[in-house]
Amino acid sequence: MSALKAGLVVVLFTPPLLGQSASSWVDLYSYEGQHSFQKYGDGIAAAGDVDWDGVADFMIGARESTFLNAAITPGSITMYSGATGLPIYRIDGTSHTSALGTVMCTLGDINGDGAADFIAGDPMYSIGSYTFEGAFWVYSGSDGSVIFWDTGTPSSFFGNALALLDDLDADGLPEFAVGAPNEGSGMVHVYSPGKQKKIRSFAAPDPNANFGVALASIGDLNNDGHQDLIVGANRYDGPGGNDIGAAYLISSRDGSVLHRFDGWDSLNEFGKVVASIGDLDGDGCDDVMVSAPHGRLGLSLSVGIVEVYSSVSHALIYNLTGNNPNETFGASLVNLGDQNGDASDDFLIGVPYRNTNGIPGVAVLYSGASGLVMNKFGTGLHLGFGHHLANLGDLDGDGYADIGISSAESLSLFQGSASIYGSRKYLSATHDSVSAAAGGPVDFLMDFDRIQRGFSYRLLASSHGTGPSIINGLEVPLGWDFLLNLTSLGSFPGFVANGDGVLDGDGNGICNLVFPALVLSPYAGQNLYFAAIAGSSLLAPTLSSEAVALTITP
């Protein structure tokens, strides 16, 4: 590519309103509750491989399960095959006040049968009559039998949140944390599956905090060799008023507070939802997402705000806000890993009560690197869609995480529904390496959606990593350099055929490169990165593929 000619930089660096998706999402499986008040979909979670077929499975909860003679039954969890989408087994709750199926977490294989096991929390579980001790159960993934369980104290709502940790007690098995937000000012308890008991407890550092309403594990922040915890406390009272909320970074070994992120306005309930995200700021540690789904924007109530922080410097990386009053932007958060090939984790935010053009509830996929929108999910049919989100692992074998989105409120009288989405990538290459000395052919295959048929496309290249960069208002997952400048202008050397073109009737295109011997010598031992853009006009493209790496061997 040294034969590329220099060109005038005319690429516009105006920040885009929308950085479009680097993949097409397809509906793998769809489910609906079977009767009114079932609240099917009031929980959804990855389960790992429970049926030994090599494909990750998943579980969907139904908070009330059935409605019979005015007596609400105590919830259920249905385990589904990730390979077929068919049910494997169902577990029913046992308490009349139970909310089994709302809080679930995979645990890995702790009983040695080769199948992943899991935990289910039930904050509404009552031993007596409406005593709400809460509980959790550790289940065998292979058949749903109980391995062990525990309950909290009266009115503690023990089991309201769960987080998987690493091996704290050196028995070869991971530990897990359980939130009890109404036990005093809130408690977090840590359990050993190997010992089948509680091994430590952490009390709220501040009064009236609701400490433990949300939990997420994060990387080792204090260099003690173990994962630490993000703990939400949405009722924390601070200088900004009552219930401004907070999120704590705490040590998983002794509960010491490493940092507290404070809310800023009364009744915002900052910390209602927390999650970890990969290292966005390049300091070597995972970063932090905290939601205030009832956060105000000016005088508008419950617009919702999500803030992304560095876990090391504690600086705000960026924040994201909802659009309209009462849409509760940030009611759910989930890290999806790298979806667009730019080496940064991306994430999904639930907005269950947004009503845009008649669509009641959406889930929005964001680029972790830039905070720009990559995709939106919403059927237009399901009220509360996006209230529950899950990273389900790779169900369809494409190397990328698939998504579960559900709502217990949708359809007739809280019947409930859930949708499972898999991604289809837009760009692939016939080879993943080419010799600098010998050269050779590499074809880049574009597989955009059929609705993009007739769109113009252009293949872009960079030797400077995965960026991202902004090209004519569109985010692309390539680092800005000489190659990207030229290819973005449509300037290609003679060994590139169809660098520009028009997508066919199925939304497909192909770019053919036949590298001459030695032309890639300046890049030997490095990677070149490629991405395709498309749009009705390349002066304002609307779609970018993910980045595809090509290794240049000597």
Side-chain angles (χ1 to χ4, degrees):
M1 286 199 177
S2 57
L4 287 172
K5 297 178 181 179
L8 177 66
V9 178
V10 295
V11 178
L12 302 179
F13 283 88
T14 305
L17 296 176
L18 186 68
Q20 287 282 348
S21 175
S23 63
S24 170
W25 292 87
V26 295
D27 195 343
L28 296 178
Y29 311 119
S30 294
Y31 305 95
E32 296 180 354
Q34 298 303 302
H35 44 75
S36 299
F37 299 101
Q38 186 177 8
K39 296 186 179 178
Y40 176 89
D42 208 10
I44 185 166
D49 182 10
V50 306
D51 56 1
W52 305 285
D53 66 356
V55 178
D57 303 307
F58 60 92
M59 43 196 165
I60 300 176
R63 180 188 182 94
E64 295 180 1
S65 189
T66 61
F67 193 80
L68 181 63
N69 298 326
I72 299 173
T73 61
S76 67
I77 297 169
T78 303
M79 183 68 70
Y80 290 92
S81 164
T84 67
L86 297 175
I88 300 173
Y89 56 77
R90 170 174 154 165
I91 300 168
D92 291 317
T94 57
S95 163
H96 65 289
T97 63
S98 185
L100 186 71
T102 56
V103 185
M104 298 170 287
C105 177
T106 187
L107 186 56
D109 180 19
I110 66 165
N111 61 0
D113 65 358
D117 304 312
F118 66 96
I119 322 161
D122 181 354
M124 304 298 289
Y125 179 85
S126 292
I127 296 174
S129 178
Y130 300 99
T131 48
F132 302 116
E133 286 85 357
F136 74 78
W137 289 262
V138 174
Y139 293 101
S140 167
S142 60
D143 60 10
S145 60
V146 176
I147 298 174
F148 76 100
W149 68 298
D150 201 5
T151 63
T153 58
S155 301
S156 67
F157 300 108
F158 175 84
N160 192 79
L162 300 169
L164 184 65
L165 295 166
D166 55 11
D167 182 11
L168 298 174
D169 59 1
D171 65 355
L173 297 175
E175 270 61 67
F176 61 92
V178 183
N182 209 40
E183 183 179 349
S185 294
M187 295 283 291
V188 174
H189 303 283
V190 178
Y191 281 79
S192 165
K195 297 179 173 63
Q196 297 192 5
K197 68 178 184 179
K198 187 189 307 179
I199 59 173
R200 60 197 63 165
S201 297
F202 310 135
D206 297 293
N208 306 316
N210 221 34
F211 183 78
V213 70
L215 294 173
S217 59
I218 193 169
D220 180 12
L221 302 181
N222 57 358
N223 298 313
D224 66 357
H226 293 284
Q227 288 178 303
D228 296 309
L229 278 167
I230 313 169
V231 183
N234 63 317
R235 299 294 188 187
Y236 168 78
D237 298 330
N242 294 331
D243 295 347
I244 65 170
Y248 297 81
L249 301 180
I250 71 168
S251 165
S252 63
R253 291 186 65 86
D254 60 16
S256 58
V257 176
L258 308 176
H259 186 73
R260 187 186 70 208
F261 299 101
D262 287 359
W264 58 91
D265 202 356
S266 60
L267 306 181
N268 270 9
E269 296 192 35
F270 181 74
K272 184 70 175 290
V273 186
V274 299
S276 66
I277 189 75
D279 179 16
L280 301 183
D281 59 357
D283 60 11
C285 290
D286 292 346
D287 294 314
V288 181
M289 293 191 293
V290 186
S291 166
H294 299 295
R296 292 189 290 186
L297 199 60
L299 298 177
S300 297
L301 299 176
S302 296
V303 171
I305 299 170
V306 174
E307 300 206 323
V308 181
Y309 295 97
S310 168
S311 63
V312 175
S313 71
H314 310 135
L316 179 68
I317 299 174
Y318 50 76
N319 68 359
L320 305 165
T321 65
N323 297 337
N324 305 297
N326 302 313
E327 72 177 30
T328 59
F329 178 89
S332 50
L333 304 170
V334 67
N335 179 356
L336 292 179
D338 181 13
Q339 288 286 335
N340 61 355
D342 66 357
S344 291
D345 286 354
D346 306 309
F347 57 92
L348 196 63
I349 296 180
V351 197
Y353 303 115
R354 176 175 293 178
N355 194 321
T356 303
N357 298 323
I359 298 175
V362 297
V364 186
L365 176 61
Y366 287 88
S367 162
S370 66
L372 296 175
V373 174
M374 293 169 59
N375 202 55
K376 292 182 181 179
F377 301 85
T379 63
L381 300 174
H382 296 161
L383 178 66
F385 183 84
H387 209 293
H388 306 280
L389 306 173
N391 178 336
L392 299 181
D394 183 14
L395 307 181
D396 54 9
D398 66 353
Y400 292 86
D402 300 315
I403 298 170
I405 306 176
S406 65
S407 171
E409 300 179 22
S410 59
L411 305 177
S412 175
L413 290 175
F414 301 97
Q415 194 170 325
S417 64
S419 296
I420 312 301
Y421 297 94
S423 61
R424 189 188 78 236
K425 298 303 168 183
Y426 285 148
L427 185 67
S428 61
T430 54
H431 299 84
D432 59 11
S433 66
V434 65
S435 165
V442 179
D443 293 337
F444 284 89
L445 311 175
M446 284 156 271
D447 183 15
F448 287 95
D449 294 327
R450 191 171 185 275
I451 196 171
Q452 276 90 48
R453 62 189 181 277
F455 274 23
S456 298
Y457 73 78
R458 178 171 290 162
L459 187 73
L460 308 177
S462 171
S463 63
H464 199 61
T466 53
S469 298
I470 306 300
I471 295 179
N472 290 344
L474 178 70
E475 179 189 82
V476 297
L478 297 176
W480 186 256
D481 68 355
F482 174 73
L483 293 181
L484 183 54
N485 177 32
L486 295 184
T487 54
S488 67
L489 296 170
S491 179
F492 300 99
F495 56 77
V496 177
N498 305 313
D500 285 330
V502 175
L503 299 174
D504 68 16
D506 291 319
N508 299 331
I510 183 169
C511 177
N512 315 101
L513 288 78
V514 183
F515 295 103
L518 303 179
V519 75
L520 293 175
S521 294
Y523 306 109
Q526 303 177 37
N527 284 340
L528 293 179
Y529 298 87
F530 295 83
I533 59 173
S536 56
S537 168
L538 291 177
L539 294 176
T542 53
L543 291 166
S544 170
S545 76
E546 68 280 14
V548 173
L550 180 68
T551 300
I552 312 304
T553 64

